[in-house]
């Protein structure tokens, strides 16, 4: 089974690689409207960050301190707690290490919270991804 190492980059509600440059998203409202990731976990991968909170500028870079090991083609459940209901969570991995997170080829998970402060859904690394280390971005936005 191929193992994929994803280095965490929490993004506002969020999570950086090598010498590659990654954009830093800007948010007019920052975390004021509950658009922050308070905690993130992938239980079956043994990863939990229970106290992420709102980072300065509504962007947190955890590249140097957080690593998640995932296997290709396995479906993993994830849970995100946030500061407001009706949130949409998206998770990307930069599989080609080009500094962007492509919506069609690198989105590996998403989910909505509905009327709760918790989003639970699944993510999956495609079977075609070569083993390696990749940057992960997690975003949280209202509606």
């Amino acid at each position: 089974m191929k193992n994929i190492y994803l280095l965490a980059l929490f993004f506002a509600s969020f999570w950086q690689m090598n010498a590659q440059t990654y954009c830093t998203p800007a948010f007019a409202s920052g975390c004021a409207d509950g658009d922050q990731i308070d905690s993130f976990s992938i239980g079956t991968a043994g990863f939990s960050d229970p106290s992420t909170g709102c980072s300065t500028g509504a962007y947190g870079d955890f590249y140097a301190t957080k690593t998640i090991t995932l296997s290709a083609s396995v479906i993993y459940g994830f849970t995100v707690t946030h500061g407001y209901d009706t949130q949409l969570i998206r998770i990307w991995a930069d599989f080609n290490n080009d500094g962007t997170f492509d919506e069609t080829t690198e989105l590996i998970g998403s989910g909505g919270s509905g009327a709760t402060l918790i989003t639970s859904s699944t993510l999956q690394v495609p079977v075609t991804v070569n083993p390696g280390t990749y940057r992960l971005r997690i975003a949280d936005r209202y509606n």
Side-chain angles (χ1 to χ4, degrees), residues 35 45 48 67 72 75 93 99 120:
D35 290 340
S48 179
T67 302
I75 297 172
S120 294

Side-chain angles (χ1 to χ4, degrees), residues 83-105:
Y84 202 74
D85 61 8
T86 318
Q87 298 292 304
L88 177 62
I89 301 296
R90 289 197 180 281
I91 302 174
W92 300 264
D94 186 14
F95 294 125
N96 60 4
N97 294 317
D98 68 351
T100 64
F101 297 93
D102 185 88
E103 191 73 18
T104 58
T105 61

Side-chain angles (χ1 to χ4, degrees), residues 9 11 15 23 25 59 90-92 101 135-139:
L9 159 55
F11 172 91
W15 301 43
C23 70
Y59 177 82
R90 289 197 180 281
I91 302 174
W92 300 264
F101 297 93
R135 182 79 44 108
L136 179 71
R137 178 166 281 181
I138 305 164

Side-chain angles (χ1 to χ4, degrees), residues 14-27:
F14 318 85
W15 301 43
Q16 208 176 121
M17 178 148 185
N18 303 338
Q20 181 60 55
T21 302
Y22 286 85
C23 70
T24 300
F27 299 98

Side-chain angles (χ1 to χ4, degrees), residues 11-14 26-31 33-37 58 82 84-90 111-113 119 138-143:
F11 172 91
S13 326
F14 318 85
F27 299 98
S29 62
C31 298
D33 294 327
D35 290 340
Q36 79 267 1
I37 293 174
H82 31 72
Y84 202 74
D85 61 8
T86 318
Q87 298 292 304
L88 177 62
I89 301 296
R90 289 197 180 281
S113 67
T119 298
I138 305 164
D140 172 34
R141 282 303 263 179
Y142 174 74
N143 207 9

